[in-house]
Amino acid sequence: MKKPFKNLSKIYIFIILLLFTFVSISSESQVTANNISISYGDINGDGNIDSTDVTLLKRYLLDIISELPYSNVADLNGDNSIDSTDYTLLRRYVLQIMNVFPVEGLSDDSQSSSNLTSSEELLLEFINQTRSDAGIEPFKCDMDIVDVARIKSQEMIDDSFFSSTSPTYGTTNELLNYFDIPFDHAYETVSISPTATSAFNFSSQIDIYNEIITDPSYNYAGVGIIRCPTRGLVVVQIFISR
């Protein structure tokens, strides 16, 4: 009769050890979760970027909720605002249309007070200097157009194409219409260059480009520059008349 009691004791000890191990592991996992860095797009901070984050952002933009759990990771294009453009980017990411947010491509380029990166600001300065030399007022920088240009740059990186016509959004006019950018006429040029200076030098060799940037009827511009690790700076310049 003593043998079963001994076996029973061993079972109890084994169960207690299992419980202790489970409690210890659970406690360690909770600490790890509390100290994990939050990724861009992980708006609820659960370690996943999924439809829950999309729903949260949508509810925020519709004023159904007044704040986001982690609003600092919701600005996905790096323009210091959270709006419908970020919502579009998050949806594209969750649908696996893109795998990197534009703001991540901007991280190695200093941001200026105008919300342009230093490369974007330099390129716009070159463009406006050309207009000034021609006696024309400088382009007004439209941050909505900058957002669209950045999205297009990121799309070319993600989808490995190089064209003014997007497989997702279509032509330049269709792209601007998709993002509700008002315009009368529009022109877009794309390039891949090591620097903003070389991007301008390349573009300025194209006759139609020079005609557009010195045309007084075109009065708004937006440039988007995203760094691709394997290709250099992917540059999109969009000019519109309004």
Side-chain angles (χ1 to χ4, degrees), residues 83-132:
D83 51 30
S84 59
T85 301
D86 301 300
Y87 175 73
T88 299
L89 289 170
L90 186 58
R91 284 189 64 230
R92 282 173 55 81
Y93 186 95
V94 171
L95 291 172
Q96 299 184 338
I97 297 172
M98 62 190 299
N99 53 30
V100 177
F101 294 117
V103 67
E104 296 173 286
L106 302 176
S107 61
D108 60 349
D109 195 357
S110 59
Q111 198 93 6
S112 71
S113 58
S114 66
N115 292 330
L116 296 175
T117 66
S118 57
S119 294
E120 291 166 345
E121 193 167 48
L122 180 61
L123 178 54
L124 192 58
E125 284 177 7
F126 284 138
I127 294 166
N128 278 332
Q129 183 60 52
T130 302
R131 281 174 75 90
S132 177

Side-chain angles (χ1 to χ4, degrees), residues 169-234:
Y169 303 108
T171 64
T172 303
N173 287 4
E174 290 169 335
L175 172 69
L176 293 171
N177 285 329
Y178 182 89
F179 288 100
D180 298 321
I181 306 295
F183 66 97
D184 296 322
H185 302 284
Y187 173 79
E188 174 189 357
T189 182
V190 299
S191 60
I192 298 175
S193 300
T195 66
T197 302
S198 59
F200 176 75
N201 290 338
F202 170 79
S203 298
S204 61
Q205 295 175 29
I206 304 169
D207 290 340
I208 184 64
Y209 178 84
N210 289 318
E211 290 175 17
I212 293 296
I213 66 172
T214 55
D215 185 338
S217 68
Y218 282 82
N219 49 356
Y220 288 89
V223 296
I225 300 179
I226 304 292
R227 183 177 298 281
C228 174
T230 57
R231 302 166 76 184
L233 299 181
V234 179

Side-chain angles (χ1 to χ4, degrees), residues 143-177:
M143 285 307 298
D144 289 334
I145 303 176
V146 171
D147 289 343
V148 172
R150 288 173 178 172
I151 289 171
K152 177 67 176 291
S153 296
Q154 189 65 57
E155 183 195 17
M156 285 197 290
I157 294 171
D158 293 336
D159 296 347
S160 300
F161 75 95
F162 181 70
S163 172
S164 292
T165 301
S166 159
T168 304
Y169 303 108
T171 64
T172 303
N173 287 4
E174 290 169 335
L175 172 69
L176 293 171
N177 285 329

